[in-house]
Amino acid sequence: MGPELRHLRYLIAVAEHGNFTRAAEALTVSQPTLSQQIKQLERSVGAQLLDRSGRTVRLTDAGSAYVHYARRALRELAAADRAVVDVADLTRGQLRLAMTPTFTAYLLGPLVAAVHDAHPGLTLEVHEQPQDRIEAQLLADEIDLGIAFEGPHLPGIAATALFAETLGLVATAHRPGAGDPRPMPVDRLGGQPLALLSPDFATRRHIDAYFAHHRIDPPIAVEANTIQALTEIVRRTPLLATVLPDAITDDHPHLAPVPLDPPLPTRVAALLRRESAYRSAAARAFTRVISQVVRDRGYPAP
């Protein structure tokens, strides 16, 4: 008799906890039952999967290989369950979505409103994550779609271009000279105190690459981990400026763009999915809605 699903779950739990007692508690089974089931699995596959000789329980080489495929099998079975209950009329659909932080500041609101108007029965589960985490979650079948940027992607990730995102220098609208259409030469930016996103954001790395390319090193007065914090700081501090997507500046009347010469390079926003993933009715509907939102809001073509 081959292994059963519970055997796979039991083995993965022991591997993750490194301890039979903690794994049994997490699985709500007794430790002797868990140990017996793992031994039954090892007899079934004909190999020792766990090294029990040390203070912690570790996977053997055979166990590591087996767990890799066990996790994949459980992910595919979960996807199969969702495919079976997928309802084409979207009266009770669900979509797991993740996006990088700048998109939550200007795209998420209009997008959720449009989805709700078009498909009020569709439930959105939204997460804010850095791009590398989004791609890992897609491959692990923890989310259905991601909104991030085009560029090198992990194997197995498919990207569909959505629009071109432009970044620009931004200051409070009350700052002297705000709204001046004449571009600021980039070398003058070297003396401008800035409030920027922290370095773990992809947007900040994009900005830093622009600075490095032009050999300038503006003083960083503030680092923040939310767009909302940056807009509030700059709105209330006339001496500080920040760098934001133009779409955010357009939505905030108390902020004014300061054109730069040369401007920051554009990035291409993209809808990410796992290449082999089943495309549910919810995912297909969401893809149509986001394309319409991009057109309605006039975002530049990629």
Side-chain angles (χ1 to χ4, degrees):
M1 180 182 296
E4 299 180 16
L5 286 180
R6 70 172 182 276
H7 291 147
L8 307 185
R9 295 190 176 98
Y10 288 178
L11 177 64
I12 290 170
V14 175
E16 290 177 346
H17 289 278
N19 180 285
F20 275 92
T21 301
R22 289 194 294 271
E25 291 172 353
L27 293 165
T28 63
V29 298
S30 70
Q31 185 174 335
T33 296
L34 176 60
S35 181
Q36 179 186 26
Q37 292 292 312
I38 295 295
K39 289 178 180 177
Q40 183 177 332
L41 173 62
E42 289 178 320
R43 287 196 298 270
S44 174
V45 300
Q48 182 180 343
L49 302 176
L50 294 172
D51 179 359
R52 303 164 174 81
S53 62
R55 296 183 61 182
T56 60
V57 180
R58 299 178 181 274
L59 290 168
T60 62
D61 289 345
S64 294
Y66 195 85
V67 162
H68 171 76
Y69 288 101
R71 287 194 171 108
R72 177 187 293 180
L74 292 177
R75 286 198 300 268
E76 294 299 329
L77 283 170
D81 289 341
R82 290 197 303 277
V84 168
V85 300
D86 182 26
V87 180
D89 63 7
L90 295 173
T91 56
R92 55 185 180 91
Q94 183 174 12
L95 185 78
R96 303 166 300 167
L97 175 70
M99 59 179 62
T100 55
T102 53
F103 292 122
T104 60
Y106 70 88
L107 183 60
L108 180 60
L111 187 53
V112 170
V115 169
H116 183 71
D117 287 345
H119 306 287
L122 177 59
T123 299
L124 280 179
E125 179 184 315
V126 183
H127 304 272
E128 185 180 78
Q129 301 282 9
Q131 179 149 343
D132 56 352
R133 178 63 178 152
I134 289 175
E135 295 193 13
Q137 288 181 321
L138 284 169
L139 294 174
D141 193 35
E142 295 172 0
I143 57 174
D144 301 303
L145 295 171
I147 303 174
F149 295 101
E150 276 198 337
H153 299 295
L154 294 177
I157 296 295
T160 302
L162 293 172
F163 60 91
E165 184 191 71
T166 54
L167 294 165
L169 188 68
V170 180
T172 176
H174 302 296
R175 176 175 174 154
D180 187 340
R182 293 174 299 179
M184 174 193 292
V186 68
D187 55 1
R188 282 182 51 195
L189 190 57
Q192 168 64 58
L194 297 176
L196 297 177
L197 288 168
S198 52
D200 52 327
F201 286 84
T203 296
R204 172 61 184 277
R205 295 193 291 272
H206 186 73
I207 294 166
D208 286 346
Y210 171 80
F211 292 161
H213 179 74
H214 294 286
R215 299 180 181 178
I216 57 172
D217 188 20
I220 310 302
V222 179
E223 291 184 332
N225 63 359
T226 68
I227 296 292
Q228 183 180 7
L230 287 181
T231 57
E232 273 299 295
I233 289 167
V234 172
R235 182 170 76 90
R236 298 176 180 275
T237 315
L239 292 179
L240 293 181
T242 188
V243 178
L244 295 174
D246 291 349
I248 296 177
T249 308
D250 294 342
D251 286 343
H252 288 78
H254 55 268
L255 298 178
V258 180
L260 288 172
D261 182 24
L264 279 92
T266 61
R267 303 184 290 179
V268 175
L271 187 65
L272 307 183
R273 62 179 178 85
R274 182 163 55 96
E275 287 180 344
S276 61
Y278 167 75
R279 294 193 69 203
S280 67
R284 296 193 301 271
F286 180 87
T287 301
R288 292 191 296 271
V289 170
I290 193 172
S291 297
Q292 187 61 52
V293 168
V294 167
R295 288 194 296 270
D296 290 346
R297 291 183 67 82
Y299 295 146

